[in-house]
């Protein structure tokens, strides 16, 4: 076979030498013409060789032209091999039958050189066009699938974050006459679900929620996204959105999974009133509304309002200025005395961090601490406070003053830092302090987030000589279980109990129970939030507890605290508690 010529044209004829000579004359410069004498040899040749086109006579021995056409037309291996049938001029019935069975074209005998040339070229051109169309379609499909893989969350099949931002912006701007909501949803305590069960269970919950959203939102002209973890965002027309029905239906869908845990979704809703507001800011506002209700089991959703916008602007200022504020020493510690009723004197203090902004004045810890806990800056602030406390203790020692140990707050994000167990002892070494001088305070929420890790690290701290206090005891849902597992030295009872002492018999009963339990477990107790004489009168009847609150003293600057402290004769090795409020 001549390698310089194109694919062969296969002529199947009944020993018709004239037809073969004619094809060689017409196509000899472009193709190699191969002739076989029966239909079976034709099929065999096509199976073993690459053929441009088959010209087959309907009248063949062994296997006639119709059978050859039937085999080639129905075999996917030969999908790009056109078959042109050769018939007698009078055989119109054969022509029609051949065309119905997949023939690309027909020729009639005697063959005409011009007709052969144009019909064969037309057939080859048509098939080439079809092949190109198929190749383009396959290429377009691959490009589409590639783009889709970049746009879609692989677990749930919903849009990912950047795609949702783009699609939501296009949607609300393309239909300015339609009012839309941005709905931000997530699951309460989803991390605990993964810890209690398996990641596969968590993934099943996410996929079930995604399927529900697609079925309920997409048919009404909305779009859905999983932007991260257990966080979903919807863009939905207001007229078709009912938050109560959405959450009720979502609850029902999750309950069908039969998971023995209360899995609840919470939602924040932002009414889109400016279609040109960037979509990420719309989501931020919906998320801000979500934070207002997350964990509130009576109300599962909230709408964004103007007050939240002011809060968002304030949070943006906090984030913008926080790093410079730390470098510029805008943060400082205050100390609030803790009194022993048994000793009738100050036995410890709680230190609270304060931010004095050069433009905005003192910023409440209640405003900046939650922001820092969300963005991780709390880790840096914690370490700043720890070192400030060490400096204070060192100055006291250098001045010859008897000092109290100081407990510092260890935020839950610090437990994810591998150097925590080296950093704190390193501070003590730097300022030549003993471990009992710097005590560590953790919150109940840290136990809820990651109980095993907190238990492990707490034990290692105690092995290194540190004492551990539990702040805000009684504010969460796992308090008693935590006491069973967590090795701690002192309970700080949440001030919510104290606020209700004068009005609630149950609050008084619970407080008595907690104090008795702590005594039986060998733990010390600090009761926070004492503000009235009546509260003090009741607490004083409960036994040996320490008291803290505005009734005795507000938080004081360090120098003012030292003046107050010097009025009292203090025993060594009592607790000083540092907390941020």
């Amino acid at each position: 076979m001549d390698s310089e010529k194109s694919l062969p044209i296969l002529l199947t004829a009944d020993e018709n030498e004239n037809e073969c000579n004619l094809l060689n004359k017409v196509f000899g410069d472009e193709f190699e013409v191969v002739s076989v004498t029966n239909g079976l040899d034709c099929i065999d040749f096509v199976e073993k060789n690459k053929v441009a086109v088959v010209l087959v006579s309907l009248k063949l021995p062994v296997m006639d032209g119709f059978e050859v056409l039937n085999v080639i037309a129905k075999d996917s291996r030969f999908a790009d091999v056109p078959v042109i049938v050769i018939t007698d001029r009078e055989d119109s019935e054969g022509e029609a039958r051949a065309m119905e069975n997949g023939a690309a074209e027909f020729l009639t005998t005697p063959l005409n050189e011009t007709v052969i040339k144009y019909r064969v070229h037309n057939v080859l051109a048509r098939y080439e066009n079809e092949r190109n169309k198929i190749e383009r379609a396959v290429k377009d499909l691959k490009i589409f699938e590639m783009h889709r893989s970049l746009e879609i969350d692989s677990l749930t099949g919903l849009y990912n974050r950047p795609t949702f931002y783009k699609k939501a912006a296009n949607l609300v701007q393309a239909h300015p006459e339609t009012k839309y909501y941005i709905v931000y949803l997530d699951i309460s305590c989803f991390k605990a679900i993964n810890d209690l069960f398996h990641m596969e269970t968590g993934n099943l919950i996410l996929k079930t929620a995604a399927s529900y959203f697609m079925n309920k939102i997409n048919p009404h002209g909305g779009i859905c996204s999983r932007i991260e973890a257990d966080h979903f965002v919807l863009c939905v027309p207001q007229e078709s959105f009912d938050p109560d029905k959405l959450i009720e239906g979502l609850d029902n869908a999750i309950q069908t999974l039969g998971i023995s845990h209360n899995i609840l979704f919470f939602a924040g809703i932002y009414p889109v009133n400016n279609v040109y507001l960037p979509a990420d800011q719309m989501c931020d506002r919906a998320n801000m509304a979500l934070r207002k209700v997350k964990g509130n089991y009576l109300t599962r959703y909230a709408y964004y309002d103007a007050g939240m916008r002011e809060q968002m602007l304030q949070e943006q200022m906090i984030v913008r200025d926080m790093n410079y504020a730390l470098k510029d020493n805008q943060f400082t510690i205050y100390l609030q005395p803790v009194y022993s009723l048994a000793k009738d004197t100050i036995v410890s203090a709680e230190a609270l961090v304060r931010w004095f902004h050069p433009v905005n004045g003192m910023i409440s810890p209640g405003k900046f601490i939650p922001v820092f806990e969300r963005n991780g800056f709390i880790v840096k602030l914690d370490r700043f406070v720890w070192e400030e406390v060490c400096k204070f203790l060192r100055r006291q020692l250098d001045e010859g003053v008897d000092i109290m140990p100081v407990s510092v707050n260890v935020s839950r994000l610090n437990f994810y830092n591998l150097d925590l167990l080296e950093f704190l002892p390193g501070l003590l070494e730097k300022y030549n302090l003993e471990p009992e001088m710097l005590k560590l305070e953790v919150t109940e929420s840290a136990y809820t987030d990651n109980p095993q890790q907190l238990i492990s690290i707490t034990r290692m701290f105690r092995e290194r000589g540190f004492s551990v206090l539990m702040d805000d005891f009684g504010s969460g849902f796992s308090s008693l279980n935590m006491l069973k597992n967590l090795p701690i030295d002192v309970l700080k009872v949440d001030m919510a109990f104290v606020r209700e002492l004068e009005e609630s018999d149950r609050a008084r009963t619970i407080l008595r129970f907690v104090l008795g339990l702590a005594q039986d477990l060998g733990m010390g107790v600090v009761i926070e939030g004492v503000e009235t004489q009546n509260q003090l009168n009741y607490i004083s009847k409960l036994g040996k507890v320490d008291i803290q609150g505005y009734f005795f003293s507000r938080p004081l600057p360090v120098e003012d605290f030292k003046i107050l402290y010097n009025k009292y004769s203090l025993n060594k090795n009592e607790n000083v508690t540092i907390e941020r409020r």
Side-chain angles (χ1 to χ4, degrees):
M1 194 176 295
D2 190 342
S3 60
E4 293 183 357
K5 294 182 178 180
S6 184
L7 303 176
I9 289 181
L10 178 64
L11 173 64
T12 303
D14 186 11
E15 298 182 352
N16 193 329
E17 187 175 347
N18 290 334
E19 292 179 357
C20 185
N21 291 337
L22 180 60
L23 290 176
N24 269 311
K25 177 182 177 182
V26 175
F27 300 109
D29 293 336
E30 302 176 71
F31 301 97
E32 180 177 357
V33 178
V34 178
S35 177
V36 296
T37 58
N38 64 70
L40 192 59
D41 288 345
C42 174
I43 297 298
D44 182 65
F45 188 90
V46 172
E47 287 180 341
K48 297 177 180 179
N49 298 274
K50 190 75 173 175
V51 177
V53 62
V54 173
L55 278 72
V56 59
S57 172
L58 293 180
K59 298 177 180 179
L60 289 176
V62 184
M63 178 184 287
D64 66 22
F66 288 112
E67 292 175 290
V68 171
L69 175 61
N70 190 53
V71 169
I72 294 177
K74 292 184 178 181
D75 195 322
S76 60
R77 294 175 299 167
F78 312 135
D80 59 347
V81 179
V83 177
I84 299 176
V85 297
I86 301 175
T87 68
D88 294 336
R89 187 177 297 275
E90 295 80 13
D91 189 9
S92 58
E93 183 179 339
E95 292 175 7
R97 180 184 168 192
M99 298 300 291
E100 289 173 356
N101 283 274
E105 188 54 275
F106 67 90
L107 297 169
T108 57
T109 57
L111 298 178
N112 180 280
E113 179 178 330
T114 302
V115 173
I116 292 174
K117 180 177 180 180
Y118 281 101
R119 289 196 178 179
V120 168
H121 277 122
N122 286 341
V123 166
L124 292 175
R126 190 167 73 241
Y127 268 64
E128 180 67 20
N129 288 336
E130 290 300 319
R131 279 194 295 271
N132 290 338
K133 287 181 181 179
I134 293 172
E135 289 175 0
R136 285 196 300 272
V138 170
K139 184 178 180 180
D140 291 344
L141 179 60
K142 288 181 178 178
I143 293 173
F144 171 79
E145 291 175 346
M146 180 184 70
H147 282 299
R148 181 172 173 79
S149 68
L150 296 175
E151 292 181 340
I152 299 299
D153 171 58
S154 60
L155 176 65
T156 63
L158 301 182
Y159 288 132
N160 57 25
R161 181 196 297 269
T163 305
F164 178 82
Y165 288 165
K166 179 177 66 176
K167 298 282 187 181
N170 291 341
L171 181 63
V172 299
Q173 292 174 21
H175 303 90
E177 73 285 355
T178 302
K179 297 294 185 181
Y180 286 89
Y181 287 130
I182 297 294
V183 185
Y184 197 111
L185 304 103
D186 75 352
I187 305 171
S188 180
C189 300
F190 185 70
K191 187 179 185 304
I193 294 171
N194 280 332
D195 290 341
L196 290 171
F197 302 96
H198 297 284
M199 186 172 292
E200 290 78 7
T201 302
N203 288 344
L204 179 60
I205 294 170
L206 297 177
K207 289 190 282 190
T208 301
S211 177
Y212 174 80
F213 291 140
M214 283 191 285
N215 290 332
K216 294 297 180 181
I217 301 302
N218 290 5
H220 297 285
I223 57 175
C224 319
S225 169
R226 176 187 175 227
I227 61 172
E228 63 180 357
D230 61 323
H231 297 191
F232 295 87
V233 183
L234 319 175
C235 181
V236 58
Q238 293 186 15
E239 62 181 13
S240 64
F241 180 71
D242 184 329
D244 292 301
K245 288 184 179 179
L246 180 80
I247 290 179
E248 180 183 0
L250 187 55
D251 287 346
N252 293 335
I254 299 300
Q255 287 171 9
T256 63
L257 301 177
I259 299 171
S260 57
H261 192 81
N262 196 21
I263 301 163
L264 299 178
F265 276 80
F266 293 84
I269 305 167
Y270 169 65
V272 178
N273 51 28
N274 176 6
V275 299
Y276 296 105
L277 185 71
D280 61 332
Q281 293 185 29
M282 296 182 188
C283 292
D284 287 343
R285 295 183 180 188
N287 189 24
M288 191 174 298
L290 166 67
R291 293 201 298 268
K292 184 177 180 180
V293 294
K294 186 174 180 181
N296 183 340
Y297 294 87
L298 298 177
T299 304
R300 301 272 295 281
Y301 63 87
Y303 287 87
Y304 174 87
D305 58 34
M308 294 180 185
R309 182 175 183 275
E310 292 302 316
Q311 180 183 345
M312 180 187 66
L313 294 175
Q314 187 173 63
E315 289 187 5
Q316 289 175 347
M317 179 275 294
I318 288 171
V319 172
R320 182 193 67 211
D321 294 348
M322 62 187 184
N323 282 294
Y324 179 75
L326 190 59
K327 295 178 182 178
D328 195 42
N329 295 315
Q330 295 174 20
F331 295 103
T332 188
I333 59 171
Y334 270 41
L335 298 174
Q336 185 178 22
V338 175
Y339 288 79
S340 168
L341 294 179
K343 298 177 181 179
D344 194 25
T345 186
I346 297 175
V347 293
S348 61
E350 178 179 3
L352 303 93
V353 69
R354 294 290 185 261
W355 183 0
F356 291 92
H357 193 279
V359 175
N360 299 303
M362 193 183 79
I363 302 174
S364 167
K367 294 180 179 178
F368 65 80
I369 292 298
V371 177
F372 293 167
E373 288 178 339
R374 288 196 298 272
N375 67 17
F377 188 74
I378 194 66
V379 172
K380 290 184 179 180
L381 186 61
D382 269 355
R383 297 191 176 199
F384 166 81
V385 170
W386 302 343
E387 185 147 13
E388 289 299 296
V389 169
C390 288
K391 290 177 182 178
F392 166 72
L393 292 172
R394 184 69 258 167
R395 287 194 302 269
Q396 292 288 87
L397 286 171
D398 291 343
E399 293 170 6
V401 179
D402 289 338
I403 67 167
M404 298 173 292
V406 176
S407 67
V408 294
N409 189 287
V410 183
S411 299
R412 59 181 178 268
L413 289 181
N414 277 292
F415 291 108
Y416 295 96
N417 285 310
L418 300 178
D419 70 337
L420 180 62
L421 292 170
E422 286 73 38
F423 184 86
L424 280 166
L427 273 181
L428 296 181
E429 182 178 356
K430 178 178 178 181
Y431 292 97
N432 194 21
L433 300 172
E434 297 299 322
E436 60 266 19
M437 297 179 182
L438 190 68
K439 301 192 178 188
L440 310 176
E441 186 170 331
V442 298
T443 62
E444 191 174 329
S445 60
Y447 177 83
T448 304
D449 283 351
N450 201 332
Q452 293 305 318
Q453 186 177 29
L454 182 59
I455 291 170
S456 174
I457 292 180
T458 298
R459 285 175 178 163
M460 286 187 279
F461 275 136
R462 298 184 82 208
E463 290 171 1
R464 286 164 169 78
F466 292 96
S467 293
V468 179
L469 291 77
M470 173 58 62
D471 188 26
D472 296 333
F473 178 78
S475 61
F477 297 98
S478 57
S479 301
L480 295 180
N481 188 56
M482 176 199 62
L483 287 183
K484 175 173 66 73
N485 298 319
L486 190 63
I488 54 179
D489 301 290
V490 177
L491 289 182
K492 298 191 67 180
V493 178
D494 186 73
M495 62 181 64
F497 286 105
V498 178
R499 293 194 186 104
E500 299 183 24
L501 282 179
E502 298 178 48
E503 301 175 357
S504 171
D505 289 336
R506 289 193 172 191
R508 292 192 288 269
T509 300
I510 293 172
L511 185 57
R512 286 196 303 269
F513 168 77
V514 170
L515 295 181
L517 182 62
Q519 183 177 3
D520 290 343
L521 293 174
M523 297 178 181
V525 175
V526 175
I527 298 181
E528 301 181 280
V530 179
E531 297 181 353
T532 69
Q533 183 67 53
N534 287 339
Q535 291 171 350
L536 178 62
N537 292 341
Y538 179 80
I539 294 170
S540 64
K541 301 174 185 178
L542 297 179
K544 296 181 179 180
V545 296
D546 295 337
I547 302 295
Q548 176 185 349
Y550 282 10
F551 183 78
F552 289 104
S553 175
R554 291 179 176 273
L556 302 171
V558 169
E559 293 303 317
D560 291 345
F561 172 79
K562 288 167 64 176
I563 294 172
L564 179 65
Y565 172 67
N566 289 335
K567 294 179 180 179
Y568 293 87
S569 175
L570 297 175
N571 294 324
K572 291 184 178 181
N573 298 326
E574 296 294 342
N575 293 340
V576 176
T577 301
I578 292 185
E579 181 188 3
R580 299 176 304 272
R581 290 294 182 190

